[in-house]
Amino acid sequence: MTTVTFFRKNGRIVGFEASEHTGYSEEGTDIVCSAVSALTITTVNGLQEYLKIPVGVEFTDGYIYCTLQDDISDEDWAKAEILLETLVLGLNSIVQEYGNNLNTIEREV
């Protein structure tokens, strides 16, 4: 099962971590894993490439970690929140259908 943990600080998302494979299907045909990967990678790309917001990122097989830096401007926080909260919505909609393969958690840091 894939678990995506959203890290919040004072209610704002400051990052997320996704780990493990969903186990829905074999590698290469797992639609749940593909959906999670597409949403998380698109969010990171949107933060870095489109919004130009510096983030800490770590990718390995079956793992992604992304965190916003503490010193970004309030304007950048507001922009980043749109992408990150949209990620929450997208992943939670997948959980509704594939809750045996994907779990989301929110943790205050």
Side-chain angles (χ1 to χ4, degrees), residues 27-54:
E27 186 175 334
T29 63
D30 191 325
I31 61 171
V32 180
C33 187
S34 295
V36 171
S37 294
L39 287 172
T40 55
I41 292 168
T42 298
T43 299
V44 171
N45 288 340
L47 291 166
Q48 289 181 315
E49 302 300 324
Y50 185 71
L51 295 177
K52 306 294 186 204
I53 295 173

Side-chain angles (χ1 to χ4, degrees), residues 56-67:
V57 181
E58 182 182 338
F59 287 104
T60 59
D61 183 42
Y63 179 82
I64 182 171
Y65 176 81
C66 175
T67 186

